[in-house]
């Protein structure tokens, strides 16, 4: 299981997708921001989207997982952060995050369709 202290979903805005479709209530532990927004967006999240690969920061406390549609388009990036007291993300977590990104893409596609 992926354990983290905070999760942020960096959503790519497209013509077929609108943030209004998300039924996510932001709180202290989760947030939803635009991927392209320089003020809220993260350079690491943008790198993850460009590379279409799970990446972890140098201290292992932040993990970025792309949410990629079957056609290869990146819909979002999920950022998971651990506190300084928590152990770093492990190699197995990268695989879990990749699978999680695929499942989130399916879920987000279904939200768009409804």
């Amino acid at each position: 299981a992926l354990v983290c202290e905070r999760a942020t979903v960096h959503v790519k805005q497209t013509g077929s997708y609108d943030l209004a479709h998300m039924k996510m209530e932001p709180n202290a532990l989760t947030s939803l921001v635009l991927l392209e927004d320089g003020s809220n967006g993260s350079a690491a999240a943008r790198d993850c989207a460009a590379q279409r690969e799970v990446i972890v920061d140098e201290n292992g406390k932040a993990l970025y997982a792309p949410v990629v549609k079957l056609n290869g388009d990146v819909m979002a990036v999920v950022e998971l952060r651990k506190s300084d007291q928590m152990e770093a993300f492990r190699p197995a977590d990268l695989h879990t995050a990749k699978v999680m990104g695929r499942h989130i893409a399916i879920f987000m596609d279904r939200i768009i369709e409804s």
Side-chain angles (χ1 to χ4, degrees):
L2 283 173
V3 178
C4 68
E5 180 180 61
R6 180 168 174 74
T8 302
V9 180
H10 300 265
V11 180
K12 185 173 183 179
Q13 187 81 12
T14 69
S16 63
Y17 182 72
D18 185 356
L19 288 177
H21 286 98
M22 289 297 291
K23 305 289 191 284
M24 182 177 176
E25 292 293 326
N27 60 45
L29 302 178
T30 61
S31 60
L32 182 68
V33 298
L34 286 176
L35 186 59
E36 293 86 4
D37 186 353
S39 61
N40 291 322
S42 159
R46 289 189 296 275
D47 290 346
C48 174
Q51 297 171 21
R52 291 178 170 73
E53 292 291 332
V54 176
I55 60 174
V56 178
D57 72 350
E58 63 276 353
N59 64 9
K61 299 292 183 164
L63 180 147
Y64 301 86
V67 178
V68 183
K69 294 170 67 170
L70 290 176
N71 68 4
D73 290 343
V74 176
M75 302 176 75
V77 171
V78 177
E79 174 186 352
L80 304 176
R81 289 202 165 266
K82 292 191 173 215
S83 69
D84 291 337
Q85 295 77 27
M86 300 172 84
E87 72 176 47
F89 287 105
R90 299 167 295 159
D93 293 333
L94 277 70
H95 175 73
T96 302
K98 187 174 185 175
V99 172
M100 177 187 70
R102 287 186 196 138
H103 285 90
I104 292 171
I106 294 167
F107 171 75
M108 290 176 74
D109 259 347
R110 290 186 179 161
I111 287 175
I112 292 168
E113 292 172 2
S114 61

